[in-house]
Amino acid sequence: MPPAERRDGPVPEEPDDVKEAVEGELALMDPAVRASRADAVRLLDPEFVEVGSSGRRYTYEHMLAWLPEHAGSAADGPRHEPSAITGVVLAPGLVHLTYETDFDGGRARRSSLWRKLGEETGWRLYYHQSTPVPPGTD
């Protein structure tokens, strides 16, 4: 991925930051991680907010309670299949990811912001939004 541009010149690439955010995003799609409150606490920022494909807003506490019961959390059930994941460092400690998922026959476009407040916390999902893709749409 080429470096981003800003008004005063190129922004240095930080591929490790993007890589770590992608690893966290993929982990949150793993049924074992979704079913584990301890894993979710480690990966979700305490100020986390999601706007789901239904338009419903979820907070950190909502997500911790909801995630283990939500579709995609059962080892023998359907799984989120991600594709076309790209990421960019927006600022130190802030990565924006975009990608698509296929889940049980439905597609969604997704956007996530991952932030890192310090080495002790690591990268955590701060914001996520999912938009359904109507059938027949590219």
Side-chain angles (χ1 to χ4, degrees):
M1 174 183 331
E5 290 289 324
R6 64 180 186 205
R7 290 186 184 157
D8 60 346
V11 176
E13 285 189 76
E14 297 186 41
D16 289 343
D17 291 347
V18 171
K19 180 182 175 215
E20 289 177 38
V22 169
E23 288 171 357
E25 194 80 30
L26 294 174
L28 283 169
M29 290 183 231
D30 182 328
V33 171
R34 295 169 71 86
S36 166
R37 183 177 176 92
D39 286 340
V41 165
R42 180 179 54 81
L43 291 168
L44 295 178
D45 190 279
E47 296 179 27
F48 172 81
V49 173
E50 175 174 332
V51 177
S53 58
S54 65
R56 185 173 176 191
R57 182 178 179 273
Y58 299 93
T59 64
Y60 176 77
E61 289 300 326
H62 288 123
M63 189 57 68
L64 290 178
W66 179 76
L67 196 57
E69 304 301 320
H70 186 62
S73 298
D76 59 350
R79 295 185 66 146
H80 290 88
E81 299 296 334
S83 63
I85 299 175
T86 61
V88 63
V89 176
L90 297 177
L94 186 63
V95 170
H96 181 218
L97 301 180
T98 58
Y99 61 101
E100 290 192 12
T101 56
D102 191 359
F103 180 77
D104 204 21
R107 279 179 47 214
R109 293 195 175 105
R110 298 178 179 271
S111 177
S112 295
L113 290 174
W114 285 78
R115 77 175 178 177
K116 183 178 183 179
L117 297 176
E119 291 301 321
E120 65 282 351
T121 62
W123 288 96
R124 291 183 171 178
L125 182 58
Y126 176 73
Y127 178 82
H128 182 78
Q129 184 161 351
S130 174
T131 304
V133 178
T137 303
D138 287 335

